Each structure stands twice: as structure tokens, then as C-alpha cells.
Amino acid sequence: MLPQETRELLKIPQKLLEQLFPSSTASIQDLLAHKIPYQRPSAHQTQSSAYLHKRAPTRPEVDPTGLATPPPSVILEIIEALQLSPEEKYTSIACAHIPGNHETYPLWILSYWAELGVLRNARKSWDLAIKSLETRINRNSSDVLAGKILDRLLVLPWASGLRGFDERGVEGLVNFCTPKAWFHTAEVNQMLELVDNANLSSRGIKVLPSDFPRNLVQLHRDEGLEYITASRHRHLRQLGEDSVNGVVNQIATVANVDDDHWVALVIDFGSKTVHYFDSLNNPINAELREAFDWWIDQHHAAQFDWLCVPCTQQGDSYNCGLFAANHIACYIDPNQHSPMNPQACDDERLKMLGKILDRHESESFQHIAKGFTFTFRHDIGGSDVEIVGDSRSAPGNVGAISQPHSTPPSTPPPSPKGTSFPSPMKGKVKRSLGDRAVGSPPASPVKKKPAKEKVVAASRRGLQEMTSVPQSQRVGLFKLLTRETEEQKREREVRERAEAEDRAERRVQEDLEKARKKILEVDERRDGNRERKREERKRKYTADVAAGIRNDDFSLKVKTKKRRTVPVELRDDSTNDNIAELSRPARHIETRYKEKHRTHNSGRKQVRERAERVYVNWKTPFLFKQILIAGKKTKDAGGLSSTAIVKYLQARDQETFAKLSATTVQSWFERGELGVKVWKPSVLEAAKVNGNTPGHNKGGRKGALHGKLMKVSLLTPRSWKKSSND
DNA sequence: CATCATCGGTAACCAATTGG
DNA sequence: CCAATTGGTTACCGATGATG
């Protein structure tokens, strides 16, 4: 932590703030016109010691916009040096990057330089975008499309959120008007949001952001072990169940392949097909296919077919995101959308941008991108990172570099906010000095919350983006991070491989030893338990004989009349959390099918409601997968254990597995090699083939009382039988 | 682990309903 | 009355779960 006086010195004077930084309500045109200092590509002196001084500044009054800045890497280095030695009490800064400049300046110049990273990036990317539009117009003065877009863009506030989109700021529009810019996650999701509308959800179509396939691939890489238990996958599990129950018929999404290509996918649950659209016509990506098949397999018994759909092909290497979004749009809403013209991609990008602006300007969208927070607050004096705004989302990322979002699919829409978006800059300027300038941020409830995701402050991010240069081009301390020679590398690899083999060998031996021990231990325990139980039983029976419950040969005396009464139970049908009912979707599916294909309005009228099921169909894929995993997690030297499986499952999900009995699980086992208990192949087969539609062609419920809403069970069957024998 | 009672899905048949 | 359609009931036997 820097001493208080140094932090005071790092604060940019209040009166200069408004002059040095554009207001966030300033238009993009104003941003481009805003004066910022020249940045020297290299520095005369790169050691931080040449910059930091302990004497008073020789030029306390200075206009920093006229003073060239050092390269970002040098700025970062100075900041680090300052933070590493707080006891030094530096008071001024020199411009050692400018040859012949021997003046020293106030320390706050460093803060200003740090902030400039963000501003420079924003200006650079907008400058490119606007210039390319102007070039189009200059080349063809009748280019109405580009002209209109340019007019609309220039007046937009440069640092505000977009209405009608989640987590997007105006800066995200840059890529649409910069030809040849590759579309990132955020832009692709934004295009998908444009396609989505209320009409689609009523047709059972879900348009999901690219996070959906990304999550699936990640989950599949992790072997899906956490899928059924972790609450963070709740949405995904619900989606899977919805697809089984017919609430969701189609899922459309766009997936990233190999980090450099976008493809579109539509899962059609009706025809059990996955439609795959690739604008480069590559074969279906194997990892993506495995991940999707895996997820579908979690919920559906049948295997889905994959179909490469012939679609418009791109003639370039950077428009795949645009094509993928267009394929989705044309597939699910062909009346609203038409295929793109691959010969006029630049126009198509602008048209897309126009649609986004339409939505932003439309009255019907009230809320502003929720995660959008823009701040200039830097972090030289305080901690390394700070949390900005909503801890769940990253702040707006100025410039052409965007980070992937991590919104879970089917997140509920953000609550509407007022249309007046507070200017972050204005807010900063108006608030107290301590808030604005260097030093630890003021105590706020936001800071105290445990942050899921920490976000590097804007200034540092801006600098880091610019310092990600190849090693050969690095300057200053970065040069010291030299690479090992080829020879050293080979030696290291040989050494590491030998060590790894050693470790593997040792591990195999240890595992074997452990397994032997475990078997002995289990055997011993089992024998002990058996003996203990026998003695316990003997004690109990002896006591029973003394109490007159048993005969001398330990056999049970005939029980006196002992009726157990069970209260009459009225079934409450208002909620549908009956796991037994949920585990048998076949009836639901049949009803929906009949509703859809009804040709006559005839037939016997239904008089009573169908009774809800009582027994759970454990072989429905969703439940049976969990049981299999529980088996994997709990098995020991003796193989599977029914009680351990039930305990494991109930500990994790009491509600769902409350009715699972160890006896039932037991009946799914058979003795394999060496008497180890394993799953019966027939059970695995049945779960796989008939998971959602169990049954056989031989049965039916009996009895006139069956299905009555009021369940009458005053006596247990056994006690009834006994009492009737008496 | 064995036993027992009860539930569940479909075929097959009958009943009920509508429309021609 | 017939055709088309759908609900209701029961046989059959495997699945489920309680009990001892």
C-alpha cells in the first residue's frame, strides 16, 4: 500500500479532469476530436529509476496533452516500480523517454498516462471504423447505406450502453463497420439476440448464445461428472428436461470451432436431428459433435442424426460469424430473413449494424445493457484489481478486443432500467476526489461482496492489451524474460519425460498396493460385521424370549392384533413436483402428439383425471445417469453397493431420490468376475433403449378402485391379511 | 437378501361421442 | 346406421418398494 502522501500526489487535479477526458455523453465524433498526447513508440530511457524522482517537480504547472507519453510497457513498469517500493516516497516524474528533456513533472502525470490506454484504444478502433466508412462514401458518393450508418454512428455517445441488448456497449459496434474484422463472442451473441423474439418461444424454439455450445464442450471435456449435481448446471438440466417433455422443440445456436471459426447448429428434437451449418463447408467438428451427442444422451434415449445442411458459403476468412447468425435466422424464421449475399459482405455487415441501431433507438426496448459499466478508475495506489459494477459481468471493453461472456444460457432477462444512463465520467468527476483519483477506492457494499470474477481495472487492461507484443519487440524489463535455448529445451523435455515415466511407474505400484490393502480391509470388515450382527441378533432374541415375544427356539410368537392406522390421504394436484410423474414422460408426449394430430373433434369425453404415478421410473436417462455415476463413485473392492449408491444420491438430492430403495438398486446387480457386483447388462440395455418409454405389451392395472382420486388405505396389506385370518 | 403386495404399460375389447 | 376417434376396463407380467 502506498503512503497517503504519494496517493495524494497521484490524484489528477479536479479542475483538469473535465479538460483531459471526454465526457461519456460525448459523441463518437467528439471522442475522435478530443486531444490526447502523442505516444512515443520507443523510449530513450527504459529503466523506471530514470523516471521516478524524490525532488519537487520543476514544472508543476503543465498541460500533459502536449507532452508525449512513453510506450505502454514502460508505463506499466514505472507503475510496478512505484508500487513495489512504497517507502521511497517519490514526488515527481521525469520524461526520460524524451531525449534532452530534463524537467520533472507532478506525479499525477503517471495516472493520466495510465488512463490514456483505454481512451487511445477506443479512439483507435473508432478511427479505423469511421475512416473505412468514409472511404466507401468517397469512392461512391451514392452509397446511401454507408452514409446513413455514418450519420447515425457519429452522434452516439461513445461510452454508453445499448438498449435492447444484454451486456453490450456502443463500443461493440466497431467490428460491424470495420471490414475484415473477425466477429467475437459478444458480437455473435448480439446478432443472435436480434433473431430471437417472443414468437419463437411460443413455437418451442430457443435461440441460445454461443456460451451454450462452449459450456457443453467444457462439460464434456470434464467428463460431465459435475453435470447432474452442480447447481451451476441447473439451467442446462432444465433445458434437457424441457426438450424431453416437449416444451422445447428446437435449440438454435452458434458455436466456435478451433477458436477461429463460427458454425451454426440447430437441434431438432422432433426429428431427432442436429442440423449443422458451416459456411466453409468443413466436415462436422468432432469435439462439438461428441459434446452435443453426450448432452443429448443425458436426456434422450435415442441417438440423434447429424445433417450437414447446404448453406451459403463465405468467400473470405473473417465473416463466418455473420454467416452463422444468418443461417440460424433463415432456418428458423424464413419469412423474416433472407440469405446473405456472399459477394456483398461489407454491405451485410452494415445492414446488421443498422438493425442493431434500430433496436437501440426503438422505444420498445427500455433496458440498457446491464453489465455495461465504464470506468476510468485506475489502480496505481490501491490493489491490483478491482471489481467494477456488477460482479457477474465484465465492464465494457473498449476497442476491437472483446472478451467472451460467461452468461449461463437461459438467464432470465435483466430487469428494465431507466433510459437515462448515468455518465461514468461525469459521475466520477462530480464525486469526491478520493473516489476519482489514485488510492484505495472508497468503501462500498459492492466491494465487500465476494466477487465471482475479478476484473482488471480499465487502465491496466488497456496497457496490457498494448503490451502483448512478441518478445523480440519488448523493451525495458520485459527483455529480461528471455527464452531458453533450443538445446536447453530438448534437455528439459528429456528430463521431464523420464521424471514423468518414473512417477507413472511409482503410481501404478502404489495403486496396486492400495487395492490389495483395500480388499483385505473390506474382507476383514465384512467378517467382523457378520460376527457382530450374529451376536447382536442372539442378544436381541434372548431378550425377546425373556419378554415373551419369541418362543424358546427363537421363532416369533404369533402377533396379537396390532393394526396400524394410516390417515386418509387426499392428493393435492396443484403442484407438479411428483418425481414419479416426471420420470415417465411418455404419457405427456402422447397427449401432446394427439393434440397436435387431432383430425376429428370426436371421441368419448374424459370424465376423470388420470391418476398420477406413484412409482418412479429410475431408468429414465436423466435419473439413471445419476445412479450410474453414484455407482462409479461409491464402488469398492466388492463392486457396487446398493445402500452406498442410495445414500450417495439422497445426500445430494433428497427430493428426487427420496423414494429410491436399496432393494430396487440391488435387483439391478449381478455377480461378475471374482464375485464382484456389477450392473446387469439387461438393465443397462433397458435403460438405454426404453429409458423414457418403459413397459411391455403384456399388462394393465386391475381393480375397480384403481385410479380413484381418494386413496383409501386404512390397513397395510399384511396386517389386513393377518386380521382376516384371525 | 428373500418375500410379498402393489403399481405400470400395452393389447384387446367395449363404450361413448361426433359427423355424415 | 356407419366410420372415425378416443375413453374405460381388464389380462398379463415385469418393476418397484416395504417389510422382516
Side-chain angles (χ1 to χ4, degrees), chain A residues 276-278 281 307-313 327:
Chain A
Y276 189 87
F277 305 79
D278 187 337
N281 216 8
L307 186 69
C308 270
V309 183
C311 54
T312 347
Q313 298 291 301
H327 292 147

Side-chain angles (χ1 to χ4, degrees), chain A residues 479-494:
Chain A
K479 273 195 297 195
L480 297 176
L481 303 168
T482 49
R483 191 177 285 172
E484 59 190 347
T485 64
E486 273 303 307
E487 199 180 336
Q488 283 169 330
K489 191 181 169 196
R490 265 197 304 280
E491 268 175 29
R492 180 174 54 79
E493 279 171 358
V494 169

Side-chain angles (χ1 to χ4, degrees), chain A residues 153-422:
Chain A
L153 278 180
L154 283 177
V155 297
L156 279 181
W158 74 281
S160 92
L162 275 180
R163 264 196 299 274
F165 295 95
D166 286 349
E167 313 201 13
R168 295 299 290 154
V170 166
E171 86 287 344
L173 302 175
V174 166
N175 273 2
F176 288 99
C177 41
T178 314
K180 303 197 180 181
W182 195 75
F183 287 108
H184 297 79
T185 312
E187 285 101 35
V188 170
N189 288 349
Q190 192 171 22
M191 289 190 268
L192 286 181
E193 277 184 61
L194 270 182
V195 177
D196 206 359
N197 62 45
N199 181 26
L200 292 182
S201 55
S202 70
R203 284 163 57 196
I205 300 174
K206 266 208 185 288
V207 181
L208 297 181
S210 61
D211 311 69
F212 169 63
R214 208 189 56 229
N215 286 344
L216 286 191
V217 168
Q218 190 53 50
L219 249 170
H220 184 236
R221 272 188 202 152
D222 299 344
E223 296 180 14
L225 278 179
E226 293 280 289
Y227 177 57
I228 53 149
T229 45
S231 63
R232 66 177 183 280
H233 300 312
R234 210 179 54 241
H235 288 114
L236 214 48
R237 289 197 295 267
Q238 183 61 50
L239 189 65
E241 289 307 283
D242 284 350
S243 74
V244 171
N245 291 331
V247 178
V248 171
N249 299 325
Q250 286 180 328
I251 292 177
T253 188
V254 167
N256 189 304
V257 170
D258 298 333
D259 275 343
D260 66 354
H261 185 46
W262 292 104
V263 296
L265 295 136
V266 177
I267 314 179
D268 185 30
F269 295 99
S271 63
K272 302 199 186 307
T273 313
V274 181
H275 300 274
Y276 189 87
F277 305 79
D278 187 337
S279 51
L280 286 176
N281 216 8
N282 291 328
I284 294 172
N285 180 270
E287 189 174 30
L288 205 59
R289 180 168 181 166
E290 279 173 23
F292 269 71
D293 278 344
W294 168 83
W295 181 69
I296 292 169
D297 187 47
Q298 298 300 302
H299 298 274
H300 293 263
Q303 196 160 12
F304 280 37
D305 293 323
W306 283 66
L307 186 69
C308 270
V309 183
C311 54
T312 347
Q313 298 291 301
Q314 63 187 93
D316 52 61
S317 60
Y318 40 83
N319 273 318
C320 46
L322 198 62
F323 277 91
N326 181 248
H327 292 147
I328 294 276
C330 296
Y331 180 87
I332 61 177
D333 220 350
N335 296 331
Q336 291 281 322
H337 306 273
S338 50
M340 278 174 29
N341 176 5
Q343 259 75 50
C345 282
D346 289 353
D347 281 4
E348 298 285 357
R349 292 170 89 107
L350 290 188
K351 280 183 201 160
M352 186 63 81
L353 177 55
K355 282 183 197 166
I356 294 170
L357 289 175
D358 286 346
R359 184 145 165 176
H360 171 60
E361 287 157 11
S362 147
E363 291 295 316
S364 54
F365 290 99
Q366 289 294 307
H367 78 271
I368 299 246
K370 68 171 169 185
F372 187 80
T373 323
F374 194 83
T375 175
F376 268 124
R377 188 197 292 170
H378 51 76
D379 51 16
I380 301 176
S383 52
D384 280 350
V385 290
E386 74 176 10
I387 303 137
V388 185
D390 186 345
S391 63
R392 282 175 310 157
S393 50
N397 212 352
V398 174
I401 299 143
S402 8
Q403 295 170 336
H405 289 281
S406 55
T407 325
S410 63
T411 322
S415 56
K417 283 185 186 172
T419 42
S420 63
F421 185 69

Side-chain angles (χ1 to χ4, degrees), chain A residues 513-577:
Chain A
E513 195 49 43
K514 235 186 260 173
R516 272 191 215 112
K517 254 190 188 162
K518 178 95 192 175
I519 290 174
L520 287 176
E521 205 179 288
V522 168
D523 280 356
E524 209 171 296
R525 203 167 46 220
R526 196 190 303 119
D527 290 348
N529 279 345
R530 204 175 282 154
E531 189 57 36
R532 227 183 350 268
K533 189 123 191 191
R534 211 174 286 146
E535 281 168 16
E536 191 184 309
R537 205 174 280 158
K538 201 171 165 187
R539 265 201 308 279
K540 183 173 179 285
Y541 287 176
T542 319
D544 282 357
V545 172
I549 301 172
R550 285 175 189 274
N551 302 316
D552 287 343
D553 62 349
F554 288 166
S555 63
L556 264 179
K557 286 187 176 169
V558 178
K559 266 190 195 165
T560 46
K561 275 181 222 165
K562 190 181 170 194
R563 297 186 182 186
R564 219 154 60 92
T565 53
V566 177
V568 174
E569 173 192 322
L570 291 174
R571 184 169 297 146
D572 176 11
D573 286 331
S574 57
T575 55
N576 192 13
D577 51 0

Side-chain angles (χ1 to χ4, degrees), chain A residues 588-715:
Chain A
H588 201 86
I589 292 167
E590 190 198 351
T591 313
R592 282 180 67 87
Y593 181 86
K594 279 190 176 169
E595 265 170 24
K596 211 167 179 177
H597 296 85
R598 199 192 299 280
T599 56
H600 280 60
N601 190 22
S602 58
R604 184 166 169 171
K605 290 283 174 280
Q606 189 171 10
V607 181
R608 3 166 277 235
E609 289 201 17
R610 301 191 77 167
E612 288 216 321
R613 279 92 150 189
V614 177
Y615 287 166
V616 180
N617 168 27
W618 298 115
K619 288 173 192 165
T620 192
F622 179 60
L623 292 174
F624 200 69
K625 285 270 151 55
Q626 308 190 48
I627 295 171
L628 287 182
I629 288 172
K632 233 183 242 176
K633 293 259 186 187
T634 58
K635 71 177 165 190
D636 57 19
L640 298 167
S641 152
S642 56
T643 42
I645 288 177
V646 172
K647 256 191 210 162
Y648 177 92
L649 290 166
Q650 289 182 345
R652 278 157 185 78
D653 191 347
Q654 172 59 41
E655 208 180 322
T656 306
F657 294 99
K659 282 168 104 188
L660 179 61
S661 112
T663 323
T664 304
V665 179
Q666 179 78 40
S667 69
W668 299 332
F669 297 162
E670 66 176 26
R671 295 279 179 180
E673 277 175 54
L674 302 169
V676 172
K677 278 179 281 183
V678 295
W679 297 110
K680 280 185 191 166
S682 59
V683 170
L684 296 178
E685 181 66 14
K688 201 171 175 184
V689 180
N690 295 323
N692 279 329
T693 52
H696 44 83
N697 61 356
K698 299 190 175 83
R701 245 198 265 189
K702 283 179 261 188
L705 277 175
H706 122 78
K708 297 298 175 207
L709 280 177
M710 190 182 290
K711 202 171 184 177
V712 186
S713 55
L714 291 170
L715 295 170

